[in-house]
Amino acid sequence: MRTLYPILVVVALGTATLIWGISGFGDIYGQDDPIEGSNAGDQLRQQADDSAASDNGSFNASARSGTENDNIVGVILSGISFIVSFATMVALLPLELMNLGFPAYFAAPVGLLAQAIVGVGIVQFATNRYYR
Amino acid sequence: MMWILQLGCYGSPGSDLLTCSLDALAAAVAGPTIFGLIAGGVLLTSFYLASNGGLATPAVLTALTGGLLISALPSAYQGIAQVIIFLGLAAAVMAGLGKYVDQTP
């Protein structure tokens, strides 16, 4: 089961939100920003701040989980936690759809469906199987 | 719905025909933004179906259509065009991700 598409949709929406918000496109035309208040951009910015790459290109060793990566078990554990935290970005999908303007009776079921698909993907990754 | 049959806006002097129709359409849903989402979604879906499953061409066409609509729509309804451009931008990012990232199950 190809379970990457919901994550790709969320990442694409979040990236477009970030591009839209940073570029200031809505300010040129004097309109209120239609995607203002969406927290997907804040979430992506938070993840970017937590990563080991710093702003000036150098490696930021004290970014996060500094002591977990000392041995191979720590690397595996931090890798699994990274995968899980990446997949939980899909939990933002109902909020993102609602902030885009969709009503809650549409956004919540669609987000629930996406979360179910991504849950199958996490099980596939953890058990190293591919369910058809 | 009775507000569809209220044709006084079209007949009153000095009124704008496009603004009259857009008032009714935006009032039918929750506002201009969600009307733009619906219109842009239908536009993107139809372009996607017409291009036999590719997503790059619908993204470009949707963004260009939104860019045309910004100057064509009345100033109170430019949010519709902005949302259509946003949908094109998201579809373009999705096309890039689908081409270069999505090779894993």
Side-chain angles (χ1 to χ4, degrees):
Chain A
M1 188 175 182
R2 299 172 69 84
T3 60
L4 202 57
Y5 283 113
I7 299 179
L8 286 186
V9 169
V10 175
V11 170
L13 278 175
T15 309
T17 307
L18 210 56
I19 291 172
W20 190 279
I22 291 175
S23 68
F25 183 82
D27 298 335
I28 298 175
Y29 290 94
Q31 287 289 116
D32 51 341
D33 200 354
I35 52 170
E36 197 176 47
S38 172
N39 52 2
D42 293 337
Q43 189 78 10
L44 278 182
R45 206 192 305 263
Q46 183 70 34
Q47 286 208 355
D49 288 340
D50 284 342
S51 70
S54 64
D55 289 335
N56 51 9
S58 62
F59 185 74
N60 185 11
S62 65
R64 187 174 152 192
S65 67
T67 58
E68 288 182 1
N69 296 328
D70 290 339
N71 47 19
I72 186 65
V73 180
V75 168
I76 292 172
L77 286 178
S78 63
I80 289 177
S81 72
F82 175 73
I83 290 291
V84 170
S85 71
F86 187 72
T88 51
M89 282 174 65
V90 180
L92 289 173
L93 185 61
L95 295 173
E96 193 160 357
L97 289 175
M98 275 188 249
N99 284 324
L100 278 172
F102 282 110
Y105 56 80
F106 171 77
V110 169
L112 194 65
L113 184 66
Q115 289 172 19
I117 293 173
V118 172
V120 173
I122 292 175
V123 172
Q124 284 184 156
F125 173 76
T127 60
N128 198 13
R129 289 173 186 166
Y130 187 71
Y131 298 111
R132 288 181 175 85
Chain B
M1 290 294 186
M2 284 306 293
W3 50 263
I4 296 179
L5 301 175
Q6 288 174 356
L7 299 175
C9 177
Y10 293 97
S12 64
S15 66
D16 190 2
L17 197 65
L18 186 58
T19 308
C20 287
S21 63
L22 281 177
D23 278 337
L25 287 174
V29 290
T33 305
I34 189 166
F35 175 71
L37 274 174
I38 293 171
V42 171
L43 194 69
L44 191 62
T45 307
S46 54
F47 282 149
Y48 174 71
L49 290 176
S51 68
N52 286 324
L55 200 53
T57 313
V60 173
L61 286 177
T62 308
L64 285 178
T65 308
L68 278 175
L69 281 178
I70 272 195
S71 56
L73 286 176
S75 63
Y77 291 101
Q78 282 184 350
I80 296 174
Q82 291 191 14
V83 171
I84 290 176
I85 293 179
F86 173 75
L87 283 178
L89 183 62
V93 176
M94 181 77 194
L97 287 176
K99 183 169 175 61
Y100 294 111
V101 176
D102 183 26
Q103 298 296 327
T104 57

